[in-house]
Amino acid sequence: MWGAERVTGAGFQHGLWNSFVIKWDSSVAVGVSKQDIREQIWDHMESQNLADFPRPVHHRIPNFKGSYLACQNIKDLDVFARTQEVKVDPDKPLEGVRLLALQSNKTLLVPTPRLRTGLFNKITPPPGATKDILRKCATSQGVRNYSVPIGLDSRVLVDLVVVGSVAVSEKGWRIGKGEGYADLEYAMMVSIGAVSKETPVVTIVHDCQVVDIPEELLEEHDIAVDYILTPTRVITTGCERPQPMGITWSKISREMMEKIPVLRSLRAREQQAGKDVTLQGEHQHLPEPGRQQAVPLSAGRRPPDTPGPEANSMEAAHGSPAGEGAPLAADVYVGNLPRDARVSDLKRALRELGSVPLRLTWQGPQRRAFLRYPDSAAAQQAVSCLQGLRLGTDTLRVALARQQRDK
């Protein structure tokens, strides 16, 4: 299934790796899937001992021997020299680029792991950081220890996007590990105006990961790359395939919405802007001319990830009780608030997590607050979403209010 062409260049003479550029035999490429390509790449890198820690590389963006050398090639790109804000994925083979960005005093943004707590973390080395500290900041541990979250309301303008890949073609077509996070992160950046169609995209791979990819495998949400960096080459793809124009909500499942709180916030924003945010598997109700669109839910009920007008105001005051026929509202207890915390701090955190309540009752002297949600299901979802939430250095205690009273 694979044909192999020997590649020579800097690095091979030192015996660092034994590499092949793998190309599809066009006679057998018909019917091949993205997963077929992934498996062939992973198997080849392991069998030829091209892989580096962590191993095995299966189901990962593979780290490879010579990744730091490949990363160094980004210094030859004018687009890197001109940039100030760089978004780099947290994958191990991109560690060298993260280090170069920090050493060049660029603003380094790294996506939060699996987007659980937001979209970006900004890496902030301590003042006077040594070379060793900068190296630590560029690692996955550094992302945890030397970063601060960036909210959706922050004015972020990304000049350069660096993504990991399992496979990429010289035409700029890319295949990731199959979970879709890089594509989703790019779509979310488009949604908040952090990138434009002119923002260059770079990927860093081993030479053997540069393969022919059948065009029919590409989907509208797949991002393309403008530059490919390997240990031996800098490839300018000249790709003219358009990048995703934003989040394709019809590809987003309810399960993804539950796992990624920031998606709920973005969906609420786009819904308020009048965009179609129908999720995968949902039936789209088109309004009849001259009539308002009906909400396909029982009277008075609202999906927990779609806050209404009263939720967006998040007023810290007592509201009127639920009307007749409306579901019984439920409260969430938030405790262990920092002594110097302000209600605005909690409001901001709730907005960023997409867990905006109907009402917020602030009891600062008692270091607690109560959040009112439209029903028990929404309250339980909020409890799950807010677990591990921190204000300052304190981790908040979050529970259903009834459970808290029982304790």
Side-chain angles (χ1 to χ4, degrees):
M1 193 173 197
W2 298 91
E5 174 186 333
R6 188 76 171 185
V7 175
T8 59
F12 289 88
Q13 59 187 348
H14 300 294
L16 293 179
W17 57 82
N18 177 25
S19 177
F20 294 87
V21 172
I22 306 170
K23 295 186 178 181
W24 287 106
D25 181 343
S26 59
S27 63
V28 296
V30 177
V32 71
S33 68
K34 287 182 178 179
Q35 190 60 25
D36 291 333
I37 299 176
R38 294 185 189 105
E39 294 291 345
Q40 294 284 2
I41 292 285
W42 288 328
D43 290 347
H44 180 82
M45 295 185 77
E46 285 291 343
S47 66
Q48 298 297 318
N49 198 30
L50 305 176
D52 209 344
F53 174 85
R55 296 179 71 172
V57 294
H58 293 77
H59 311 294
R60 306 178 189 271
I61 297 297
N63 191 23
F64 55 91
K65 296 175 181 177
S67 63
Y68 258 81
L69 181 61
C71 289
Q72 294 297 312
N73 286 332
I74 202 169
K75 294 188 295 185
D76 296 332
L77 298 181
D78 289 339
V79 293
F80 181 75
R82 295 195 303 263
T83 59
Q84 183 53 45
E85 290 200 7
V86 185
K87 177 260 186 185
V88 185
D89 283 354
D91 307 304
K92 181 67 174 176
L94 308 183
E95 195 172 289
V97 171
R98 294 195 293 274
L99 177 58
L100 284 171
L102 293 173
Q103 290 174 334
S104 303
N105 295 317
K106 299 181 186 296
T107 299
L108 175 59
L109 302 175
V110 179
T112 59
R114 296 186 175 271
L115 302 175
R116 291 190 187 97
T117 58
L119 181 53
F120 294 125
N121 274 19
K122 177 182 176 182
I123 310 302
T124 54
T130 63
K131 291 182 179 179
D132 288 339
I133 293 294
L134 290 181
R135 289 191 184 95
K136 290 180 181 177
C137 290
T139 66
S140 57
Q141 180 184 357
V143 173
R144 292 191 297 268
N145 297 341
Y146 297 97
S147 67
V148 294
I150 301 296
L152 293 179
D153 294 326
S154 302
R155 294 182 178 274
V156 175
L157 292 175
V158 176
D159 302 313
L160 181 67
V161 175
V162 184
V163 297
S165 302
V166 174
V168 64
S169 77
E170 292 189 10
K171 296 180 179 179
W173 302 340
R174 171 191 174 274
I175 295 176
K177 62 183 176 182
E179 294 182 343
Y181 280 102
D183 299 317
L184 181 57
E185 289 158 8
Y186 185 92
M188 293 167 74
M189 287 191 291
V190 173
S191 180
I192 65 174
V195 296
S196 68
K197 60 183 180 181
E198 286 80 23
T199 306
V201 179
V202 177
T203 193
I204 288 127
V205 295
H206 193 277
D207 288 279
C208 75
Q209 293 173 259
V210 183
V211 301
D212 293 336
I213 298 175
E215 186 174 3
E216 58 267 23
L217 295 183
L218 304 181
E219 300 178 75
E220 63 176 352
H221 63 269
D222 290 333
I223 59 174
V225 302
D226 301 292
Y227 300 94
I228 304 168
L229 309 183
T230 80
T232 65
R233 293 191 290 171
V234 174
I235 302 171
T236 301
T237 67
C239 185
E240 297 181 358
R241 179 179 173 83
Q243 299 285 21
M245 299 300 292
I247 300 172
T248 306
W249 292 105
S250 60
K251 298 283 187 181
I252 305 295
S253 66
R254 277 283 174 187
E255 183 182 6
M256 290 180 67
M257 293 290 291
E258 293 174 2
K259 290 181 178 179
I260 306 175
V262 69
L263 266 181
R264 299 198 287 274
S265 180
L266 286 173
R267 188 187 186 212
R269 288 184 178 201
E270 297 204 354
Q271 187 175 46
Q272 290 174 357
K275 296 184 179 180
D276 179 12
V277 294
T278 305
L279 299 181
Q280 186 182 79
E282 285 186 343
H283 180 66
Q284 182 180 2
H285 293 260
L286 296 177
E288 297 178 13
R291 295 185 60 183
Q292 282 190 327
Q293 183 174 355
V295 180
L297 294 169
S298 59
R301 191 178 178 94
R302 179 181 296 112
D305 51 56
T306 310
E310 70 273 33
N312 291 333
S313 63
M314 203 159 50
E315 293 295 334
H318 293 283
S320 59
E324 294 183 7
L328 189 62
D331 291 340
V332 171
Y333 163 86
V334 179
N336 197 39
L337 291 167
R339 297 187 185 279
D340 58 349
R342 299 180 178 181
V343 65
S344 59
D345 298 330
L346 182 57
K347 286 182 180 181
R348 187 181 307 109
L350 293 172
R351 288 195 187 98
E352 290 177 354
L353 290 173
S355 190
V356 180
L358 299 176
R359 191 179 76 212
L360 188 157
T361 303
W362 180 260
Q363 297 179 359
Q366 288 80 32
R367 301 182 62 191
R368 67 188 181 193
F370 290 91
L371 313 178
R372 172 64 55 89
Y373 289 91
D375 54 35
S376 59
Q380 184 60 63
Q381 186 176 15
V383 170
S384 300
C385 176
L386 301 179
Q387 291 299 324
L389 176 63
R390 297 168 67 93
L391 286 184
T393 59
D394 298 336
T395 301
L396 306 187
R397 290 195 297 270
V398 182
L400 291 175
R402 177 174 295 177
Q403 292 178 353
Q404 180 63 23
R405 286 197 297 268
D406 292 343
K407 291 180 182 179

